[in-house]
Amino acid sequence: MSAPRSTRVEVNGWIVLDKPVGLTSTQAVSKLKRLFNAKKAGHAGTLDPLASGILPVAFGEATKTVPFVQDGEKAYRFTVQWGAETDSDDAEGKVTRTSEARPDPADVAAKLPSFLGEIMQQPPAFSAIKVNGERAYDLARDGEIVDLAPRPVTIHALRLVSCDRENAVLEAECGKGTYVRAIARDLGRALGCLGHVIALRRTRVGPFFEADSIRLAELLEEPEQAPAELMGVEAGLSELPCVILDRTGAARLRRGQSVILRGRDAPSEGAAYAVCSGVVIASGLVEQGEFLPNRVFNLPF
């Protein structure tokens, strides 16, 4: 007896979700997948349950653009509570050390420049990094000591928004792989007062900003309006140069063949994407005046 045929439908595009606190990224994607009755969906960058904010969710062919979004710049607004470190570097963990010291706002501001640029950062033990094939957070929850090696990350901006005796609110702009929880931990250590994150909101992921987002409650309250919030597949590629092709060039790319670019508007060498009649055909590389496809999109045009 054959298995029942799936009733899910092809959905292609992006929803920039404003994830609420208390929901995992996987749970959020599952809710949207059911809402759209979509065959395929995934997200571009995990947000912890404690965190809120931008969670870009890709459907169908848009999942091919997830790596481009994940590699983009991130921005966060977060609150650090002074006086304690936790094993997870946030409010969900167990307190491991405490301090009676509290920093002056001027001292906090003076330390921030040392965190800018490319720095070495030790990821939190409770992270999704794999250790011998297992997630670090699974090992940490099982009581194992997880000591992750420091790795290079890039922090473009770190600003102090407000600070009192117990807490500080900061904003960060950073590259891929940066942990805001680790910034809070290391800043607390540098100030001699210890610290951990008690609130975190992501305000940007690559080409997506808060202004692009919609709250989950809004989508669930008016599900008939959800398709109107769907952004095109190309939204995930919008930070790359765009190559416009005719149908002949598009057909070549869909066969996996390269296309010679002509004209003054052809982009310089590097990553780019190609469109025909407003439809994304492929992403790839421009090399010596030629577009070389590496991902081809199955979208009608």
Side-chain angles (χ1 to χ4, degrees):
M1 187 175 182
S2 61
R5 181 175 297 177
S6 172
T7 59
R8 293 192 180 275
V9 297
E10 292 284 352
V11 178
N12 300 300
W14 284 93
I15 287 288
V16 184
L17 183 68
D18 186 343
K19 188 191 81 67
V21 171
L23 204 63
T24 69
S25 296
T26 300
Q27 289 169 335
V29 172
S30 295
K31 288 180 181 292
L32 289 188
K33 192 175 180 181
R34 286 196 298 272
L35 177 65
F36 281 88
N37 194 32
K39 288 184 177 180
K40 187 176 183 180
H43 64 76
T46 301
L47 267 184
D48 295 332
L50 175 71
S52 68
I54 303 301
L55 181 70
V57 179
F59 296 91
E61 291 296 283
T63 58
K64 296 177 181 177
T65 70
V66 164
F68 298 101
V69 176
Q70 287 181 321
D71 286 346
E73 188 169 306
K74 316 294 191 303
Y76 299 89
R77 187 181 309 118
F78 60 105
T79 302
V80 181
Q81 186 174 86
W82 307 122
E85 259 189 28
T86 70
D87 56 5
S88 62
D89 298 320
D90 63 18
E92 293 190 322
K94 297 178 181 178
V95 174
T96 56
R97 290 200 295 166
T98 61
S99 171
E100 296 299 321
R102 296 294 185 270
D104 291 327
D107 294 332
V108 178
K111 285 291 183 185
L112 299 186
S114 64
F115 288 84
L116 297 178
E118 185 173 300
I119 64 171
M120 297 300 293
Q121 183 186 74
Q122 183 178 23
F126 286 78
S127 65
I129 295 171
K130 287 191 174 182
V131 180
N132 298 324
E134 295 190 64
R135 299 291 185 186
Y137 54 65
D138 288 330
L139 298 173
R141 286 176 187 142
D142 289 340
E144 293 191 34
I145 297 175
V146 180
D147 189 17
L148 299 173
R151 56 185 60 194
V153 300
T154 302
I155 301 176
H156 303 291
L158 187 59
R159 295 179 290 271
L160 181 63
V161 177
S162 63
C163 185
D164 58 29
R165 176 172 170 75
E166 299 300 328
N167 305 301
V169 178
L170 298 104
E171 291 178 340
E173 296 171 14
C174 49
K176 181 180 179 181
T178 305
Y179 283 89
V180 170
R181 287 179 288 147
I183 296 175
R185 177 200 66 210
D186 296 341
L187 180 59
R189 289 177 181 177
L191 290 164
C193 62
L194 307 181
H196 64 279
V197 168
I198 59 170
L200 173 63
R201 180 170 178 80
R202 188 160 65 188
T203 57
R204 177 187 177 185
V205 180
F208 301 124
F209 294 80
E210 280 186 296
D212 305 312
S213 68
I214 184 166
R215 295 187 301 112
L216 181 61
E218 292 181 57
L219 291 170
L220 297 179
E221 286 167 7
E222 298 186 72
E224 69 281 358
Q225 297 298 320
E229 298 295 335
L230 198 66
M231 302 172 71
V233 172
E234 69 278 3
L237 299 167
S238 59
E239 293 189 323
L240 299 178
C242 178
V243 175
I244 299 175
L245 299 176
D246 58 19
R247 286 182 171 265
T248 300
R252 285 186 60 86
L253 291 187
R254 287 197 159 179
R255 293 194 297 268
Q257 298 172 317
S258 63
V259 173
I260 296 174
L261 304 178
R262 295 181 173 85
R264 293 177 303 173
D265 296 330
S268 57
E269 303 212 344
Y273 71 102
V275 301
C276 177
S277 301
V279 177
V280 179
I281 304 300
S283 62
L285 294 173
V286 176
E287 291 184 357
Q288 297 181 345
E290 224 175 347
F291 186 92
L292 310 173
N294 54 27
R295 287 183 177 90
V296 176
F297 297 88
N298 185 25
L299 296 168
F301 73 99

